[in-house]
């Protein structure tokens, strides 16, 4: 993923933190709106992110909680206004983004929307209808397929395919919580959901219908281990893992014999897996 650039974050951060601390009174401060607009423009330009790669972190990522506070500040400052000839009514601080051909993002007509404060890199393809929320970061060459959602502050890497009806959960509150992170070259199958700060490492494949949450244990049958979130770390899917929906039987207590949903890592990507994904290049 593209590293975040230096945006003179210190000064902006201090202003955002100050105005956020004022609560509803921030609406009376003209500079509060100016500071929010600076934040929103930096998010749209990809020079500021709600979370960014950080090799020094155990997770490999750092959450910029103050950025999320700035996004919430925008909602506090916003007033309802009519948009798109009265078709929509939303906070005036978060209109839908308007695109030009020079930006190199392909948005196919038919009901798609990208909220202001979201970043889409050159070469991103958006198939209708789809939605990208504020604070999200979508890197180069990614495809967002029909009925897919990229939630607030989600971080999507390069060359990712979010298949039809894939749901990438958002996170604004609590502000210290990690957003969902999908690293480079991941394939997210149709009707798949990734929520509650789960991290999907580079090159993983999530088969159609897979659901990942903080409370979801994932069984790795290749390494004979169980992957779980902890108090310090979210659920992390290893690089190259191929995850499919599965189930496990409850063997204790009065519920014995009932099976519950459990994702299963059945293999790690190999040459055969790569051949099965060759269609991606054609789709782009």
């Amino acid at each position: 993923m593209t590293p975040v650039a230096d945006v003179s974050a210190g000064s902006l951060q201090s202003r955002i933190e100050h105005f956020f601390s004022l609560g509803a009174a921030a609406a009376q401060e003209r500079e509060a709106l100016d500071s929010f607009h600076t934040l929103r423009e930096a998010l749209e330009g990809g020079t500021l992110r709600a979370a960014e790669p950080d090799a020094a972190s155990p997770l490999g990522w750092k959450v910029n909680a103050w950025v999320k506070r700035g996004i919430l500040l925008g909602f506090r400052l916003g007033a309802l206004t009519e948009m798109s000839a009265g078709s929509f009514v939303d906070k005036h601080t978060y209109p839908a983004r308007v695109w030009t051909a020079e930006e190199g993002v392909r948005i196919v007509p038919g009901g798609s929307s990208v909220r202001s404060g979201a970043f889409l890199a050159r070469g991103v393809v958006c198939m209708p209808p789809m939605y990208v929320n504020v604070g999200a970061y979508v890197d180069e060459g990614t495809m967002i397929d029909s009925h897919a959602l990229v939630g607030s502050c989600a971080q999507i890497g390069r060359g990712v395919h979010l298949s039809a009806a894939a749901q990438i959960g958002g996170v604004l509150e609590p502000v210290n919580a990690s957003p969902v992170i999908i690293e480079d070259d991941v394939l997210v199958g149709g009707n798949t959901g990734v929520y509650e700060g789960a991290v999907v490492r580079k090159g993983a494949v999530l088969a159609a219908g897979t659901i990942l949450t903080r409370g979801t244990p994932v069984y790795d049958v290749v390494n004979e281990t169980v992957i779980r979130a902890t108090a310090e770390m979210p659920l992390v899917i290893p690089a190259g893992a191929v995850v499919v929906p599965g189930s496990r039987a409850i063997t204790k207590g009065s519920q014995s014999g009932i099976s519950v949903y459990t994702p299963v890592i059945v293999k790690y990507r190999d040459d055969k897996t790569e051949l099965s994904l060759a269609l991606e290049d054609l789709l782009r």
Side-chain angles (χ1 to χ4, degrees):
M1 287 190 175
T2 305
V4 69
D6 180 14
V7 201
S8 261
S11 171
L12 179 59
Q13 178 177 355
S14 63
R15 284 181 283 147
I16 291 295
E17 298 279 22
H18 168 68
F19 292 120
F20 183 81
S21 71
L22 297 180
Q28 309 304 318
E29 302 285 341
R30 173 62 193 177
E31 190 181 348
L33 191 59
D34 293 340
S35 297
F36 165 72
H37 283 151
T38 300
L39 176 90
R40 192 180 71 184
E41 290 169 7
L43 287 170
E44 289 184 5
T47 55
L48 186 66
R49 297 171 63 168
E52 60 186 280
D54 180 9
S57 166
L59 184 63
W61 288 82
K62 178 179 75 173
V63 177
N64 294 318
W66 72 271
V67 172
K68 291 197 285 181
R69 282 189 278 272
I71 293 171
L72 292 171
L73 175 65
F75 285 106
R76 288 182 183 174
L77 300 175
L80 292 181
T81 187
E82 294 181 3
M83 302 178 182
S84 300
S87 299
F88 306 98
V89 176
D90 198 1
K91 298 283 189 172
H92 82 285
T93 44
Y94 286 109
R97 287 198 61 179
V98 178
W99 299 89
T100 65
E102 289 71 27
E103 291 174 275
V105 177
R106 178 184 169 201
I107 301 181
V108 179
S112 295
S113 183
V114 179
R115 207 172 200 174
S116 61
F119 171 76
L120 273 62
R122 297 186 68 85
V124 170
V125 177
C126 300
M127 301 301 293
M130 47 65 66
Y131 184 68
V132 180
N133 207 349
V134 57
Y137 184 102
V138 184
D139 217 332
E140 297 175 357
T142 285
M143 175 178 281
I144 307 172
D145 219 329
S146 302
H147 297 282
L149 163 71
V150 180
S152 57
C153 300
Q155 305 291 299
I156 311 296
R158 294 181 180 178
V160 172
H161 187 155
L162 302 180
S163 299
Q167 304 287 293
I168 307 301
V171 58
L172 283 175
E173 297 184 277
V175 293
N176 292 318
S178 298
V180 173
I181 296 170
I182 310 293
E183 295 186 348
D184 297 349
D185 302 316
V186 169
L187 173 62
V188 179
N191 289 300
T192 290
V194 186
Y195 308 107
E196 298 175 347
V199 176
V200 182
R201 296 293 193 201
K202 182 176 180 178
V205 176
L206 306 182
T210 301
I211 304 295
L212 302 176
T213 71
R214 186 171 184 83
T216 307
V218 176
Y219 281 69
D220 185 342
V221 299
V222 178
N223 296 306
E224 299 183 346
T225 58
V226 179
I227 301 171
R228 301 178 186 269
T230 67
E232 296 78 26
M233 295 283 285
L235 180 69
V236 179
I237 301 301
V242 178
V243 188
V244 302
S247 63
R248 63 186 176 95
I250 297 176
T251 57
K252 296 180 180 179
S254 61
Q255 305 302 316
S256 178
I258 296 177
S259 293
V260 296
Y261 169 77
T262 304
V264 179
I265 297 175
V266 293
K267 62 181 291 186
Y268 285 79
R269 283 174 74 162
D270 54 20
D271 291 342
K272 291 182 179 179
T273 312
E274 300 308 319
L275 287 172
S276 71
L277 299 177
L279 182 59
E280 294 301 299
D281 290 335
L282 296 177
L283 290 173
R284 294 179 203 286

